[in-house]
Amino acid sequence: MDFDFATIMVLAALITGLIWAADALFWAPKRRLAVARLKASAGAPVDEERIEEAGKEPVLVEYARSFFPVIVIVLILRSFLIEPFRIPSGSMIPTLHVGDFILVNKYAYGLRLPVSHNKFLSIGEPERGDVVVFRYPKDPSTDYIKRVVGIPGDHITYVDKRLYINGQKVDLEHIGPYVSDNTGLPMPGSNVFRETLGDVKHKILVESAKRPFDGVDLTVPPGRYFVMGDNRDNSNDSRYWGTVPEANLVGRAFFIWMNFSDLDRVGTTIH
């Protein structure tokens, strides 16, 4: 079992919930009984300190009661609604930059149980152009983010830095040279294009000096997706290790909520 954040949160919810339940069923009634006996004691005046001590909730139970609802709320939000991620690499430049903190819609492609990732409710399926987070097929403990360019049944060809879907060349519009975030200067040989995938128009980065990756010519199998990085010459994606199983999908990226190095990117919708 991989002890990722979801696993830790499930265990924490289970432990704090059991402690709270055990107190409600067993320990709290015993405390109330002890308090009642002290108050009913004949002869001596009531000792308030002893009564308070007898009815006092143990620290462990107090913490469990306080943290259990918080843990459950966080677990529900992250497992079924929205989860934050941080972009660690430049494979999705120019759409996403290193250091972008993004939000991922966890229910866009169906609801899954935490830890086991088994889907229990189907809601939708990825479409061409979606930016998706998924568990890397070769190492499911690692999350990747790429763009869906091929859905089940699509015939995908990638030749001479051009993408073909079902025999049709995908439209590209040259925008201009890529301008470095660090220097603010155009990078020689790096060009930005606007690519159209269905209804989605997005930018990609192509480096003319790099050798083209050819040899992709396949039909996407049922229940799988062909994904690529927008930084086409610097992305470890389906061209190298194959398609992504539907079971590995985590969700659809839709919003940049923070980038400490570039505050202008905060609040950007992901296309």
Side-chain angles (χ1 to χ4, degrees):
M1 179 183 292
D2 295 320
F3 282 86
D4 56 10
F5 183 83
T7 305
I8 294 172
M9 293 299 288
V10 168
L11 290 175
L14 180 61
I15 293 170
T16 55
L18 287 175
I19 293 173
W20 192 9
D23 180 69
L25 293 173
F26 305 109
W27 306 327
K30 290 182 178 180
R31 292 197 301 272
R32 288 194 293 269
L33 181 59
V35 169
R37 286 175 175 173
L38 285 173
K39 288 183 177 180
S41 297
V46 175
D47 188 338
E48 295 294 342
E49 289 187 3
R50 287 186 63 193
I51 291 176
E52 183 179 349
E53 185 66 27
K56 186 177 181 181
E57 189 176 68
V59 174
L60 181 62
V61 173
E62 182 181 352
Y63 278 123
R65 180 172 53 82
S66 299
F67 284 114
F68 175 74
V70 176
I71 293 170
V72 170
I73 290 172
V74 172
L75 182 61
I76 291 173
L77 287 174
R78 287 181 61 104
S79 298
F80 306 126
L81 298 177
I82 293 174
E83 184 172 358
F85 285 86
R86 182 181 182 276
I87 302 302
S89 73
S91 69
M92 284 295 291
I93 292 174
T95 304
L96 297 173
H97 294 186
V98 176
D100 281 347
F101 289 85
I102 66 171
L103 295 179
V104 173
N105 182 331
K106 297 293 291 288
Y107 59 85
Y109 307 134
L111 298 181
R112 299 179 185 274
L113 294 173
V115 183
S116 70
H117 308 296
N118 292 327
K119 181 188 287 189
F120 65 89
L121 179 63
S122 295
I123 296 177
E125 302 294 339
E127 299 179 355
R128 296 189 201 96
D130 284 2
V131 177
V132 299
V133 172
F134 56 93
R135 290 177 289 114
Y136 180 37
K138 291 185 176 297
D139 179 10
S141 66
T142 301
D143 290 322
Y144 269 30
I145 183 167
K146 305 292 177 186
R147 188 179 298 275
V148 173
V149 299
I151 60 177
D154 279 348
H155 184 257
I156 302 296
T157 307
Y158 190 75
V159 178
D160 195 24
K161 300 182 185 284
R162 290 302 302 267
L163 176 64
Y164 297 77
I165 301 178
N166 299 324
Q168 300 294 317
K169 183 184 291 186
V170 173
D171 290 338
L172 281 184
E173 174 191 352
H174 184 250
I175 295 178
Y178 177 69
V179 178
S180 171
D181 292 329
N182 297 325
T183 65
L185 300 174
M187 297 180 63
S190 297
N191 288 279
V192 177
F193 294 84
R194 180 174 288 108
E195 184 177 73
T196 302
L197 291 173
D199 296 330
V200 178
K201 294 181 181 292
H202 64 98
K203 295 177 181 179
I204 65 171
L205 176 61
V206 177
E207 296 188 17
S208 58
K210 286 204 170 185
R211 178 183 175 187
F213 179 90
D214 295 337
V216 174
D217 187 4
L218 59 82
T219 298
V220 182
R224 288 180 170 265
Y225 297 88
F226 193 94
V227 298
M228 295 176 66
D230 289 346
N231 190 351
R232 289 292 162 81
D233 296 301
N234 295 281
S235 174
N236 180 28
D237 51 39
S238 288
R239 292 172 291 179
Y240 300 93
W241 41 257
T243 53
V244 177
E246 188 275 339
N248 286 47
L249 295 175
V250 173
R252 177 175 57 83
F254 69 95
F255 189 73
I256 300 172
W257 64 272
M258 179 55 68
N259 185 312
F260 293 106
S261 300
D262 187 356
L263 294 179
D264 289 339
R265 296 183 58 74
V266 175
T268 302
T269 302
I270 299 172
H271 297 289

